Amino acid sequence: MTDPVIVERREGWHKIFLNRPDKLNALNPSVLAGLTAAFDAAEADRFCRALLLTGAGRGFCAGQELSDAIIPGPANPSPDLGGIARSYHQGVIARLRGLPLPVVCAVNGVAAGAGANIALACDVVLAGRGASFVQAFVRIGLVPDCAGTFFLPRLIGDARARALAMLGEPVTATQAEAWGLIWQAVDDDALTFEAEAMTARLAALPTEALAMMKRLFDASAINTLDAQLDLEASTQAAAGRTTDYAEGVRAFLAKRRPAFTGGR
Ligand code: T3D
């Protein structure tokens, strides 16, 4: 059996492929468990300072596998889809957001349903111009999960978030960039190069500071201004104790490029 998730170890970073190309990398328990294991492996590898997530084949991810979807019927009039969301989707998003590493997503084709929202949970999202983002849930009578209702309004505002979720219309990569849903749309044949270069670039930055930024931005979604200012101050105190901070200042004063080690 082919691995549903493949991890390639590169110099300073890992590349993770969702690997069910004939199903546009639709999610099932094996994919979701593989994804979590890949995140665990990245965090455990002290030489890994960034992650790149992408899909094998022509799609990024078509959301939850529908061929074994549990639907209400005489045998099971009240199926619990919340169980799947709680057991798998919630954990994957929490793990991804909590990783002390920057995560780049290379959206190489359609990203639908939970697949779209996993992409949007990454720190820096690049997409090929042929890619699209679809909040497909409404097409089958479901609501966005994988934190779509959290990320979408914060990224593109409430009006666009609601319309995308309710209409289930695809958004092209170019439109997604114009709306601020993603960082950048690039030519399809340049996506791998650009995404790998971006990941390598992030892997050479002060990893602990990037991890702290992730926590700051996540906290800002719910904090008051005063609470966020306090958190910035305490986080700056922690950043100021890292060896990469010392290296950054020394390099500036010596007029040379810093050689950050990431403290990992
Ligand atoms: O059950 C729960 O756990 C609840 C949680 C749900 C979370 C969710 O993610 S709900 C949303 C689920 N996803 C969708 O509704 C999207 C379904 N897929 C599509 O609408 C289309 O496939 C796409 C718009 C994504 C792409 O269209 P297109 O024309 O480029 O490709 P295609 O021909 O439709 O798909 C190619 C193959 O992938 C095809 O298989 P075949 O006919 O060649 O053997 C298709 O059946 C398969 N595929 C695509 N998406 C899924 C899938 N197979 C299983 N599950 C899928 N989600």
Side-chain angles (χ1 to χ4, degrees), residues 14-149:
H14 292 184
K15 183 170 184 177
I16 302 172
F17 291 86
L18 303 174
N19 188 38
R20 299 183 71 218
D22 53 331
K23 297 281 185 185
L24 299 178
N25 304 316
L27 303 168
N28 62 19
S30 306
V31 177
L32 292 160
L35 205 45
T36 304
F39 295 155
D40 290 345
E43 191 171 356
D45 176 357
R46 68 188 182 89
F47 298 108
C48 180
R49 293 169 58 193
L51 276 182
L52 173 57
L53 176 63
T54 194
R58 74 173 176 90
F60 173 70
C61 175
Q64 193 62 29
E65 168 70 53
L66 293 179
S67 59
D68 50 17
I70 315 163
I71 53 175
N76 189 356
S78 185
D80 180 15
L81 265 58
I84 292 168
R86 273 184 221 101
S87 310
Y88 294 107
H89 295 178
Q90 212 169 312
V92 163
I93 298 297
R95 191 79 188 86
L96 197 168
R97 294 293 282 199
L99 276 174
L101 307 166
V103 184
V104 176
C105 188
V107 183
N108 54 302
V110 67
N117 294 337
I118 288 174
L120 299 179
C122 296
D123 297 301
V124 179
V125 185
L126 284 81
R129 286 189 211 287
S132 58
F133 297 81
V134 197
Q135 294 297 315
F137 309 88
V138 69
R139 297 181 181 183
I140 54 168
L142 293 183
V143 300
D145 68 4
C146 282
T149 57

Side-chain angles (χ1 to χ4, degrees), residues 97 116-125 133 135 146-161 164 175-183 217-218 221:
R97 294 293 282 199
N117 294 337
I118 288 174
L120 299 179
C122 296
D123 297 301
V124 179
V125 185
F133 297 81
Q135 294 297 315
C146 282
T149 57
F150 185 90
F151 296 127
L152 283 170
R154 286 169 173 81
L155 288 166
I156 56 174
D158 199 56
R160 284 172 173 154
L164 284 188
Q175 183 71 78
E177 180 190 318
W179 281 0
L181 186 66
I182 63 168
W183 171 244
F217 281 113
D218 280 349

